[in-house]
Amino acid sequence: MTDFDAYERDLWAGRAGVYARGFARLTVHTIAPLLDAARVGPGSRVLDLGTGPGFVAAEAVRRGAKVSAVDADPLMADTAARNAPDADVRVAILPALPYEDETFDAVVGNFVINHVGDPEATLAELRRVLRPGGRLALTCWTMPGSGVLAVVRDAMEEVGVAWPDDVPPSPFMTYGRPDAFAALVDGVFREARVEHLDWDFTFEPDEWWENGAMARVGSNAVVLLRQDPPTIARVKEVYDRRLTTYATGDGRVSVPAHALLAHGTR
């Protein structure tokens, strides 16, 4: 494992419940286009990477696919097994997968490639488990982060919270651009393409704060929770002020989200 991989294992340990209540509500928007790009349908043998709460796996099962799913965190895998009981859910840490060569018709990953320390090695492993002609589909956040992905980070920067040296950046700070993401996938898969996925995410600001920033979900939250209470309070004030721009009039806000979808053929 790289230092980033080790950091990620610690970051997500025990976060399954709060992730399902918070951030997973944002990422469900991309499930349909992800599965469409991989051509997941009845009878497809599908591997769902970094399954988290299992929402992608459950939708693939609903489409009639035969689904396997993996996650590095045992609690996440347990949660996925409950939410997608017809899927075969296992614990596995990328880039190593516990499957034979050419096992799957499709491999999908909803915001997981940006959580691995060696994306190139991971893509090579994904190619190994895909049959010839099989389809790959992966989402990642557009970088630099903007919209809903940036509301906490922007508030921290306005307050002057410094980013510590011991919190490693994801390789997708580089690869999270359309051209770089396409080049990465094109180095391993044929017919690689990258599409923009943009939508508006509606949420209650206090609920999002509690289930994200204050629940240690993501690196922004790791850094924020190292601050003293007065600093956290100032970040919350800026966060609330910035979100007034997106108010919907019912106590909620609707903030743009921006992601990329890459797909290709083995």
Side-chain angles (χ1 to χ4, degrees):
M1 292 195 301
T2 68
D3 290 344
F4 180 74
D5 290 314
Y7 165 77
E8 285 281 320
R9 298 292 72 74
D10 177 69
L11 173 63
W12 294 107
R15 304 269 77 78
V18 291
Y19 180 81
R21 293 192 298 271
F23 226 79
R25 292 167 40 225
L26 170 63
T27 60
V28 294
H29 180 90
T30 59
I31 292 175
L34 178 80
L35 295 178
D36 289 346
R39 300 172 188 166
V40 172
S44 300
R45 297 168 299 167
V46 180
L47 174 61
D48 175 29
L49 305 165
T51 188
F55 297 156
V56 173
E59 175 58 20
V61 168
R62 191 195 67 78
R63 291 186 177 206
K66 182 179 180 180
V67 181
S68 298
V70 297
D71 200 281
D73 181 68
L75 185 57
M76 289 282 195
D78 288 345
T79 303
R82 291 194 299 272
N83 289 330
D86 293 322
D88 173 29
V89 182
R90 306 184 190 183
V91 175
I93 299 176
L94 291 169
L97 290 170
Y99 304 104
E100 296 182 358
D101 295 355
E102 302 180 5
T103 298
F104 299 103
D105 302 308
V107 173
V108 298
N110 202 29
F111 301 102
V112 65
I113 190 67
N114 45 292
H115 291 289
V116 301
D118 191 339
E120 294 89 346
T122 297
L123 287 172
E125 179 73 345
L126 305 186
R127 186 180 190 280
R128 181 187 68 78
V129 300
L130 267 174
R131 66 165 178 80
R135 296 282 297 174
L136 171 79
L138 302 170
T139 52
C140 77
W141 295 111
T142 304
M143 288 295 156
S146 59
V148 67
L149 199 66
V151 289
V152 173
R153 179 70 176 270
D154 287 349
M156 290 164 58
E157 289 182 351
E158 182 172 330
V159 170
V161 174
W163 198 261
D165 292 337
D166 64 327
V167 177
S170 165
F172 267 73
M173 294 301 292
T174 298
Y175 289 123
R177 305 187 314 272
D179 55 346
F181 198 15
L184 176 69
V185 176
D186 190 53
V188 184
F189 292 87
R190 299 184 292 111
E191 303 167 355
R193 291 182 55 196
V194 171
E195 304 171 18
H196 290 269
L197 299 178
D198 302 295
W199 68 102
D200 291 328
F201 178 58
T202 301
F203 58 94
E204 295 179 357
D206 285 348
E207 181 184 14
W208 188 249
W209 177 264
E210 291 300 323
N211 286 319
M214 299 308 292
R216 198 175 174 269
V217 175
S219 291
N220 290 333
V222 169
V223 176
L224 179 65
L225 291 175
R226 292 183 181 181
Q227 312 307 308
D228 58 31
T231 301
I232 294 175
R234 290 198 300 274
V235 173
K236 179 61 162 56
E237 290 174 1
V238 175
Y239 165 90
D240 287 335
R241 172 173 54 77
R242 284 175 170 267
L243 285 178
T244 59
T245 303
Y246 304 100
T248 59
D250 57 357
R252 300 187 298 170
V253 294
S254 186
V255 184
H258 308 289
L260 302 174
L261 168 63
H263 49 90
T265 304
R266 185 195 189 287

